[in-house]
Amino acid sequence: MQTIHELFAQTAEVMQGKPLFERPGKPAISFAETLVLVERMATVLGDLGVTVGDRVAVQVEKSPEAIALYLATLQVGAIYLPLNTAYTGAELDYFISDATPRLFVCDPAQVKAHAARASATLAVETLGANADGSLADRAAKAIPREDSVPRGKDDPASILYTSGTTGRSKGAVLTHGNLASNAEALLECWRFDANDRLIHALPIFHIHGLFVAVNMAVVSGATMVLLTKFDAEEIIGLMDRGTVLMGVPTFYTRLLKSPNLTREATANMRVFVSGSAPLLAEDHRAFQERTGHMILERYGMTETGMIASNPYEGERIPGAVGMGLPGVSVRIADRETGAAVPTGEIGLIEVKGPNVFQGYWNMPEKTAAEFRDGWFITGDLGTIEADGYLRIVGRDKDLVISGGYNVYPKEIEEIIDALPGVLESAVIGLPHPDLGEGVTAVIVPKPGADLDTDALRSALSDKLARFKQPKRFILADALPRNVMGKVQKAELRKAHAALYA
Ligand code: MLC
Ligand code: AMP
């Protein structure tokens, strides 16, 4: 098999001077230039002692150099570990102690906070959004390394942390085979090729922005218009030369708010892809009415990459996520017995295929618990109707998805419960007009305690990334429980459904 790095290098030889990266107000960077940058970074990684199987942890702003670092990590056979730029120092401590990386790359502005992490086994370097930082300086002087370390399909390429419903975050280990097979399936499915210009406004520390968007572009020879953050007007302005946009549902909710989103503005666009969270059927219909484009919704997960997609040709159904990608099998299983359920009935969505991850880093029991007869249990509830389309109807796992970011209530509840004056808490997702779901904490104070929501908010600020912090706090006398003593979150969601309306 060929790795994503090898596929990129091969494409770069063909594409040569064609732009891979375009950025507003900055010069374009071609495939050939990027290839040299990747090869220089590969030399630097070697100089820093990074060898096969070492982890390279990266918490940097989005830039072509950050993507080059990702590709260089694959080239030298190391394992790429991207981290959300919103993570706090406390959150980083855990990822670094669990993954024991050989190298940690952070933003130059953060180096003071992280310099003390450096040790005989961990190098700390910096990389900024403007090709600055110690790693960029080293790369500028390095001699390009052309050879790549041969890797097989089962060799690990990346670790992405995803929180669990119990306890600590788990590092999902994705292999070279996972990444390459998924990119190839998506290229075929969405007819994506070197003629495309992808408007890239997603972060590059999750599978959506990195293993879907970036991998597809670097392998196919497409050009990416790299934007540092989502800005509806900027994106609409770029559509006259763009062909593809990939986004979370919040992108589409926000685009629809602009009067400039019109049929004319989107005339050059070929396809709008949505995923990472449920797209509202009303947004789907409104987008079609306004632009004439049917958004193409797909379904994926960190542990599996992309699983299913509505067809490029053929009917795209609002509220459905389509069929399994080429080579990917999807089934609906009974929650208790694991037996396949009859057509149209609700059960757990389970997945098998070359896209499914190898397991959680150093957690064999947790890995085993999420597989049944070779099928990976997604924790999502769905149906496959007689039309063959998969529809996601809910979640068996306790998870909130806010603006496309996953937030695990358990992690937040544990931190809130440890605060003075708190008896217990329940964190829930409530319908939110912009983010899909708004993270909300229902808190029961200890008898006699006088809880102040501002104090609660500031107590969480250095412990949790901003997107995980509750948007609202609700004080309650007690939490609703069933006869087994389990907190009834569905009841809480019903009682407070209109909080953000
Ligand atoms: C930002 N904030 C959020 C947030 N994003 N809060 C909750 N949920 C979010 N998703 C915070 C900011 O820190 C800020 O806090 C405040 O909210 C307002 O910020 P903003 O300027 O409105 O946010 P913006 O930068 O516009 O970001 C919103 C967004 C972004 C939706 C564009 O969150 C985003 O890019 N989401 C994409 C996530 C993603 O890539 N998911 C893919 C996962 S892969 P304050 O208080 O400081 O002002 C996956 C698998 C699959 O799930 O299938 O793809
Ligand atoms: P993550 O763990 O961040 O990879 O998030 C994966 C989860 O996002 C899935 O298990 C689903 O719950 C959710 N998800 C992804 N795509 C969709 C979609 N199109 N519709 C509904 N939920 C989705």
Side-chain angles (χ1 to χ4, degrees), residues 331-363:
R331 74 171 188 181
I332 307 295
D334 182 273
R335 197 174 172 278
E336 307 303 332
T337 66
V341 304
T343 304
E345 284 191 14
I346 295 173
L348 274 172
I349 303 175
E350 297 187 348
V351 186
K352 203 186 243 184
N355 56 318
V356 176
F357 79 139
Q358 203 170 50
Y360 297 110
W361 178 252
N362 285 342
M363 290 183 179

Side-chain angles (χ1 to χ4, degrees), residues 172-484:
V173 180
L174 292 158
T175 64
H176 286 278
N178 294 149
L179 304 190
S181 70
N182 217 224
E184 278 169 12
L186 292 171
L187 292 177
E188 177 188 332
C189 199
W190 299 341
R191 311 282 189 272
F192 194 96
D193 63 25
N195 296 314
D196 278 309
R197 278 170 63 86
L198 170 68
I199 302 176
H200 192 310
L202 288 161
I204 52 169
F205 40 71
H206 280 306
I207 55 166
H208 197 166
L210 190 61
F211 299 151
V212 181
V214 167
N215 283 358
M216 288 176 73
V218 300
V219 167
S220 66
T223 295
M224 275 184 277
V225 184
L226 212 61
L227 304 173
T228 47
K229 79 179 289 261
F230 177 87
D231 178 323
E233 295 308 326
E234 182 177 36
I235 289 176
I236 294 169
L238 289 165
M239 286 182 190
D240 64 341
R241 292 189 58 225
T243 64
V244 180
L245 176 70
M246 296 180 190
V248 295
T250 299
F251 280 24
Y252 295 102
T253 307
R254 292 187 182 180
L255 285 170
L256 277 163
K257 288 218 160 69
S258 168
N260 296 322
L261 182 84
T262 59
R263 210 167 267 267
E264 297 69 41
T266 57
N268 195 59
M269 293 291 287
R270 188 171 70 76
V271 63
F272 292 88
V273 177
S274 175
S276 308
L279 177 70
L280 288 173
E282 68 210 54
D283 279 355
H284 204 303
R285 294 195 185 96
F287 201 89
Q288 192 196 11
E289 261 167 41
R290 189 93 75 80
T291 66
H293 290 276
M294 279 289 264
I295 297 173
L296 193 157
E297 187 172 9
R298 62 37 170 202
Y299 163 52
M301 197 176 165
T302 301
E303 289 89 334
T304 61
M306 296 303 103
I307 300 168
S309 172
N310 272 280
Y312 185 73
E313 279 144 19
E315 201 184 354
R316 302 178 194 168
I317 302 180
V321 293
M323 273 76 72
L325 291 176
V328 178
S329 306
V330 182
R331 74 171 188 181
I332 307 295
D334 182 273
R335 197 174 172 278
E336 307 303 332
T337 66
V341 304
T343 304
E345 284 191 14
I346 295 173
L348 274 172
I349 303 175
E350 297 187 348
V351 186
K352 203 186 243 184
N355 56 318
V356 176
F357 79 139
Q358 203 170 50
Y360 297 110
W361 178 252
N362 285 342
M363 290 183 179
E365 300 83 19
K366 288 215 157 88
T367 305
E370 303 211 9
F371 282 88
R372 182 154 56 183
D373 308 329
W375 292 82
F376 174 69
I377 307 166
T378 62
D380 291 312
L381 296 169
T383 63
I384 298 179
E385 306 284 343
D387 59 10
Y389 282 69
L390 174 65
R391 288 169 173 83
I392 301 170
V393 300
R395 292 178 207 134
D396 190 46
K397 51 193 173 190
D398 192 15
L399 160 71
V400 179
I401 307 184
S402 166
Y405 284 137
N406 283 9
V407 178
Y408 284 85
K410 183 86 188 161
E411 182 187 359
I412 299 159
E413 289 161 3
E414 279 176 3
I415 294 176
I416 295 178
D417 291 353
L419 296 176
V422 174
L423 184 66
E424 59 175 351
S425 65
V427 169
I428 52 173
L430 295 176
H432 190 285
D434 180 45
L435 298 167
E437 291 178 308
V439 177
T440 310
V442 183
I443 299 181
V444 181
K446 278 189 179 145
D450 188 15
L451 283 185
D452 164 36
T453 51
D454 287 341
L456 286 170
R457 201 179 300 280
S458 65
L460 296 180
S461 64
D462 63 339
K463 298 187 177 69
L464 286 171
R466 186 73 191 90
F467 70 90
K468 294 183 195 168
Q469 294 172 28
K471 297 273 177 219
R472 300 266 187 98
F473 295 88
I474 299 169
L475 297 181
D477 294 335
L479 298 177
R481 292 181 188 275
N482 66 9
V483 285
M484 310 290 287

